[in-house]
Amino acid sequence: MASISCVELLTAELPFRFSFGHALADRCTSTNIYVKLVLDDGTIGFGESVPRSYVTGETAENAIAVLRDYYVPSLLGLELSSLDSVIDILAIVHTSSASERHGAVDGAALCALELALLDAAGKLFHRSAGAWLGPVRTSLIQYSAVIPFMRSRQLAVIALLIRLAGMRYVKVKVGNDLDDDLRALRLLRRVIGPYTDLRVDANCAWSAREALTAITAMRRYGISAVEQPVPANDLEGLRQITAETPEMIIVDESLRTAEDAVILAEEHACDAFNIRVSKCGGLVNSMRIAQVADQAGLACIVGAQVGESGILSAAGRHLAMRIGPPAYVEGSAGRLLLREDLTVENVLPGWQGRGRPFSGDGLGVRIKESTLRKYGRVHAVLQASPTKVEQMR
């Protein structure tokens, strides 16, 4: 048994090895938020999220402010006395989210705090952070290679490396120019061969009519799925495209909450959900969304944020192994994309994109705090007052 004694809120700008571009953004760094949660017995948990203003409306600055002013104060001094008490504490967070924030979507803020809590609680009770999600349903997952916008010469090299690595699933960003997209797909299919699963992600780039035209043209290259073909709020466009195309239609930017999931399922506006732990508010909310998908007969993709460190990658793997098997899994780019990852463990998948469970308590990864401090900035340190701790007991 231990209580939450201190929470530290940080941001860090992590540099990339190369630029990563898609229809909504092009970046060579990522500004992420971090929560360091300390229990009074010295146990430490870390959480991470990657705010994206064009998805949840959050920036790193306002996510930190929301954590400092709303969520963290309600947790300081609370006791982790049992496995069930962790769920009770998470319920307090989500209740305050609904009541005090008036429906605001604080996915990134909630995610970073929840992961820090589950990491600390897992270490305290010697359990995996995934224990609060349910049993492991698959012990092996296969990650997709995700390809940003790039020139043909670079694309050819990347495609060859993907083939040499035995990757069976490839996602490529499209939506900038249809002719360029078709050239990229033609090159990819030629290099990776006819049997590799190839899907596209338009990141809201098209209208419904443009999407139908593009999908028809891309079909000759054997695409299996199309992700977020139209803007996030174009429910009618999603419904039309889903009804008129045989390819799997995946929603991403349209899906942030369990409430979004219910509406999308009821409106038959997609065939699959891309569940990203950061945008969806953490592991527990992500599992709720997966349960909506299961009840509606929809597929799940476990997605990732461009620029996430091994902390968020570990969380995504815990989720993927408990909703399994998902249709696709993305992320764990770690040291491939980041100049320096924040975890001691190398989260990169192996041959054919294979990923196995992380052993160890909590999230199962150890944090290189010196690297976090190198790129990071502390915004707030909040501590439980002795009076509050005594009252809680």
Side-chain angles (χ1 to χ4, degrees), residues 1-266:
M1 183 171 65
S3 64
I4 301 171
S5 64
C6 179
V7 174
E8 189 173 346
L9 305 177
L10 309 91
T11 60
E13 186 170 2
L14 304 183
F16 295 176
R17 294 183 183 276
F18 53 85
S19 177
F20 194 103
H22 55 71
L24 290 175
D26 189 357
R27 56 175 49 86
C28 56
T29 65
S30 180
T31 303
N32 304 350
I33 67 172
Y34 296 90
V35 173
K36 178 182 179 181
L37 186 147
V38 183
L39 304 182
D40 62 1
D41 70 345
T43 301
I44 296 174
F46 280 93
E48 175 187 34
S49 67
V50 184
R52 293 287 185 251
S53 59
Y54 51 82
V55 179
T56 62
E58 296 170 280
T59 63
E61 291 74 16
N62 64 36
I64 289 288
V66 164
L67 286 167
R68 181 192 64 222
D69 298 338
Y70 285 93
Y71 298 127
V72 173
S74 67
L75 298 189
L76 290 170
L78 295 184
E79 281 192 350
L80 281 66
S81 56
S82 66
L83 296 178
D84 288 341
S85 71
V86 179
I87 295 299
D88 294 338
I89 291 173
L90 288 173
I92 292 172
V93 175
H94 294 301
T95 299
S96 66
S97 169
S99 61
E100 296 182 34
R101 294 285 293 152
H102 305 293
V105 178
D106 295 327
L110 290 168
C111 173
L113 182 57
E114 182 206 81
L115 293 186
L117 176 62
L118 292 179
D119 191 36
K123 293 170 182 174
L124 178 66
F125 297 115
H126 303 292
R127 297 292 184 91
S128 163
W132 286 274
L133 304 180
V136 172
R137 298 176 65 182
T138 179
S139 60
L140 176 67
I141 55 176
Q142 287 187 285
Y143 284 88
S144 301
V146 180
I147 302 176
F149 291 156
M150 58 178 53
R151 296 176 181 175
S152 295
R153 184 173 296 178
Q154 295 171 307
L155 181 60
V157 173
I158 294 298
L160 181 58
L161 292 174
I162 288 170
R163 180 166 183 169
L164 291 173
M167 301 289 283
R168 296 174 56 188
Y169 304 98
V170 176
K171 181 171 89 170
V172 60
K173 299 291 186 175
V174 298
N176 190 29
D177 177 86
L178 182 55
D179 289 337
D180 287 344
D181 293 340
L182 294 174
R183 280 193 288 270
L185 290 172
R186 182 168 58 249
L187 189 156
L188 275 170
R189 187 52 82 191
R190 186 168 66 243
V191 177
I192 65 178
Y195 303 113
T196 300
D197 185 298
L198 178 61
R199 66 190 191 277
V200 299
D201 182 3
N203 288 106
C204 308
W206 299 319
S207 67
R209 178 176 294 182
E210 290 170 337
L212 290 169
T213 299
I215 294 167
T216 299
M218 293 175 177
R219 191 167 290 138
R220 75 189 74 168
Y221 300 111
I223 60 170
S224 60
V226 181
E227 186 171 323
Q228 200 63 49
V230 296
N233 60 358
D234 188 1
L235 194 64
E236 178 56 39
L238 285 169
R239 190 163 45 220
Q240 179 187 359
I241 296 164
T242 302
E244 296 184 17
T245 57
E247 292 81 10
M248 177 188 290
I249 302 302
I250 305 166
V251 290
D252 181 4
E253 285 83 359
S254 296
L255 175 71
R256 303 168 302 171
T257 66
E259 291 75 19
D260 290 339
V262 170
I263 292 170
L264 289 160
E266 289 178 345

